[in-house]
Amino acid sequence: MLTEAQKTLVKNTVPVLREHGIELTSYFYKRMLNNNAELKQIFNRGHQEAGKQQHALATAVLAYAENIDNPTILENAFIHIANKHVSLNIRAEHYPIVGEHLLASISEVLGEAATDDLIEAWGAAYQQLAQLLIDIELGIYKEQIREHAWTGWRGFKIVKKIPESEQITSFYLQPVDGGKLPEFYPGQYVSVRIYVPEWNLIQPRQYTLSDSPGKDTLRITVKREDGKGKTPAGKVSNLLHKSYDVGDIIDLSAPAGEFYLNQQGKNPIILMSAGVGITPMYSMLSFLHEKQSNRSVHFIHGTHNGKQHALREKVNEIVEKSPTFNRFIFYSKPDGEDRQGIDYDYQGRMDINMIDQSIFDKDADYYLCGPVEFMKDEGKKLKEKGIPPEKIHVEAFGTGAFSI
């Protein structure tokens, strides 16, 4: 248990963490991965090289220090992190390794300021945090040992590969062992693990399950991340697009994630997405259609144009067959082949103020997925309309938890 004196010492490091947190976490990752190379296959090297992982950890450590008196305030963030950990097969035995290098990094980066009492206080704080996460993760692992599910990794064969747009492709996957598939909640994701020759590493990435549960395949719909400016091309997404085809084998984790459709109630549902953020929204839409839901469902999506609009025909087919479903499609840069009123409804970037305002019910559940700036902008507009924050659910790509 942390003593009050130790909590005070941890809180006293908050100014240092605000100013030097990324420096500390960058040093930590370098130290840990140099000394424990076996962990390199757990972490996303692309995020490491871009500094995203270091920033996410620095933000998390700072938030934990600021709330050390009552860390349960961060429960939603802990659940988000725990789901990510489970999808990467992180286990309780990994935590002592992380703790060792984190404390050593604090000592080595802070130098003389890292007194014995401070290191002891952070050691106790880390043990508290580790146990919180281990307990949540244990519950998720137990949930995964349900009928037809698994923990760790399971081999899957690509049985179908379908282009959905110029940059987005769907992969239909069946377990190599011939076993059945578990149910999952619409909106959840899996981790995919493949070998990256350029790095001589096995690398994991998370991708949403882009179809409704209950099929004989799992489907992921992957955007090929091209290099742009200082941002390098995505190694795993490009390999999947260019080097993996029908018959090839990849490893998958069991479905995980806390962002999924609330299936209870009769209140309206608003699904809002941008770009490849359409994937969890399609899973929810398809599920509601197959369950013959009579709930009002409004599908709002934004992309550049028809060439980049994934799953368009599938969404249109569902909306046409479901009398209580509507769609609102925004194209920021429609081309000559795009037909307004057929392929899309509005020209320009998504602006929910252009839509019939009667759909924005305060009792509705709102689901947002896409780039962070998109969700910040649209989340702000929803709150300005009086939508309670607890009714707005978000799923961001990349590292770290996110809320509007």
Side-chain angles (χ1 to χ4, degrees):
M1 290 289 293
L2 274 164
T3 66
E4 290 302 316
Q6 288 174 330
K7 290 179 182 179
T8 299
L9 284 169
V10 169
K11 286 185 286 188
N12 287 344
T13 62
V14 165
V16 177
L17 293 173
R18 284 180 181 152
E19 186 173 355
H20 302 291
I22 294 177
E23 176 188 346
L24 172 64
T25 56
S26 298
Y27 183 92
F28 156 74
Y29 276 119
K30 184 176 180 180
R31 188 185 201 281
M32 181 175 68
L33 296 178
N34 281 343
N35 286 277
N36 293 87
E38 71 278 7
L39 298 182
K40 289 180 180 179
Q41 68 177 2
I42 291 178
F43 292 95
N44 182 325
R45 178 166 167 174
H47 285 164
Q48 288 282 319
E49 292 184 350
K52 295 179 181 179
Q53 195 80 52
Q54 296 89 328
H55 183 273
L57 180 60
T59 301
V61 171
L62 174 60
Y64 181 58
E66 290 174 327
N67 293 281
I68 196 67
D69 287 324
N70 184 19
T72 56
I73 291 174
L74 304 173
E75 181 181 8
N76 288 339
F78 292 154
I79 292 172
H80 177 84
I81 292 168
N83 273 276
K84 293 286 187 181
H85 283 181
V86 168
S87 79
L88 296 170
N89 199 33
I90 290 175
R91 302 281 179 167
E93 56 264 30
H94 291 124
Y95 281 89
I97 300 172
V98 173
E100 173 191 345
H101 292 291
L102 180 61
L103 295 179
S105 296
I106 293 173
S107 179
E108 292 163 13
V109 170
L110 296 187
E112 293 181 359
T115 63
D116 290 345
D117 287 343
L118 179 63
I119 297 301
E120 184 178 348
W122 263 105
Y126 176 77
Q127 288 300 320
Q128 175 180 270
L129 174 60
Q131 196 58 56
L132 283 167
L133 290 171
I134 288 169
D135 289 344
I136 298 171
E137 289 159 18
L138 181 60
I140 299 171
Y141 279 122
K142 287 181 177 178
E143 169 68 15
Q144 287 185 337
I145 310 175
R146 62 192 185 279
E147 189 175 10
H148 309 309
W150 67 98
T151 63
W153 300 98
R154 186 179 183 187
F156 277 72
K157 180 184 291 186
I158 300 171
V159 295
K160 192 160 50 172
K161 180 179 179 181
I162 304 295
E164 303 286 2
S165 74
E166 286 186 340
Q167 290 181 292
I168 298 173
T169 295
S170 287
F171 297 83
Y172 293 74
L173 309 166
Q174 284 185 339
V176 175
D177 54 39
K180 295 182 179 181
L181 295 172
E183 292 294 315
F184 62 88
Y185 301 117
Q188 289 191 301
Y189 57 82
V190 293
S191 283
V192 170
R193 189 173 72 163
I194 65 172
Y195 175 67
V196 179
E198 184 178 340
W199 289 340
N200 193 30
L201 279 177
I202 292 173
Q203 281 284 280
R205 296 292 186 273
Q206 276 103 27
Y207 296 111
T208 299
L209 291 165
S210 61
D211 207 348
S212 53
K215 307 291 194 300
D216 62 355
T217 59
L218 295 179
R219 187 178 75 186
I220 58 172
T221 301
V222 180
K223 180 184 177 184
R224 185 189 68 246
E225 297 291 348
D226 299 323
K228 185 178 180 181
K230 296 181 179 180
T231 304
K235 290 291 189 293
V236 171
S237 67
N238 274 273
L239 278 170
L240 286 171
H241 274 254
K242 299 174 183 178
S243 302
Y244 282 76
D245 213 329
V246 173
D248 290 330
I249 308 296
I250 61 177
D251 287 339
L252 257 64
S253 68
E258 79 286 2
F259 175 81
Y260 52 79
L261 179 69
N262 178 6
Q263 301 174 26
Q264 307 301 316
K266 298 182 179 180
N267 49 315
I269 295 172
I270 315 291
L271 305 174
M272 301 174 60
S273 57
V276 76
I278 195 172
T279 53
M281 304 309 169
Y282 180 82
S283 177
M284 297 179 191
L285 184 76
S286 179
F287 174 84
L288 289 164
H289 169 64
E290 291 173 6
K291 294 297 182 183
Q292 299 182 330
S293 174
N294 59 6
R295 297 168 74 174
S296 294
V297 180
H298 305 288
F299 191 94
I300 308 172
H301 179 66
T303 188
H304 289 308
N305 51 48
K307 291 184 173 64
Q308 298 188 34
H309 188 176
L311 305 171
R312 178 176 65 191
E313 288 76 15
K314 296 179 177 66
V315 169
N316 288 343
E317 182 180 356
I318 289 175
V319 171
E320 288 171 4
K321 292 180 178 179
S322 306
T324 60
F325 292 11
N326 297 296
R327 68 146 217 204
F328 305 89
I329 305 299
F330 290 80
Y331 280 4
S332 60
K333 298 177 181 178
D335 63 23
E337 298 180 3
D338 296 326
R339 302 161 296 175
Q340 190 165 14
I342 299 174
D343 302 313
Y344 70 101
D345 303 299
Y346 303 93
Q347 182 171 347
R349 296 176 64 85
M350 184 187 292
D351 182 358
I352 59 176
N353 291 320
M354 297 175 66
I355 297 174
D356 178 3
Q357 298 301 289
S358 66
I359 74 170
F360 297 105
D361 192 316
K362 292 181 181 179
D363 292 325
D365 285 319
Y366 294 78
Y367 298 89
L368 282 68
C369 185
V372 169
E373 288 306 314
F374 156 77
M375 290 189 294
K376 284 183 177 178
D377 290 344
E378 301 311 313
K380 180 181 178 182
K381 292 174 188 175
L382 289 174
K383 289 192 289 186
E384 288 172 350
K385 295 179 186 300
I387 307 302
E390 64 270 17
K391 303 294 287 184
I392 305 172
H393 314 282
V394 296
E395 173 78 311
F397 306 130
T399 59
F402 172 76
S403 61
I404 60 171

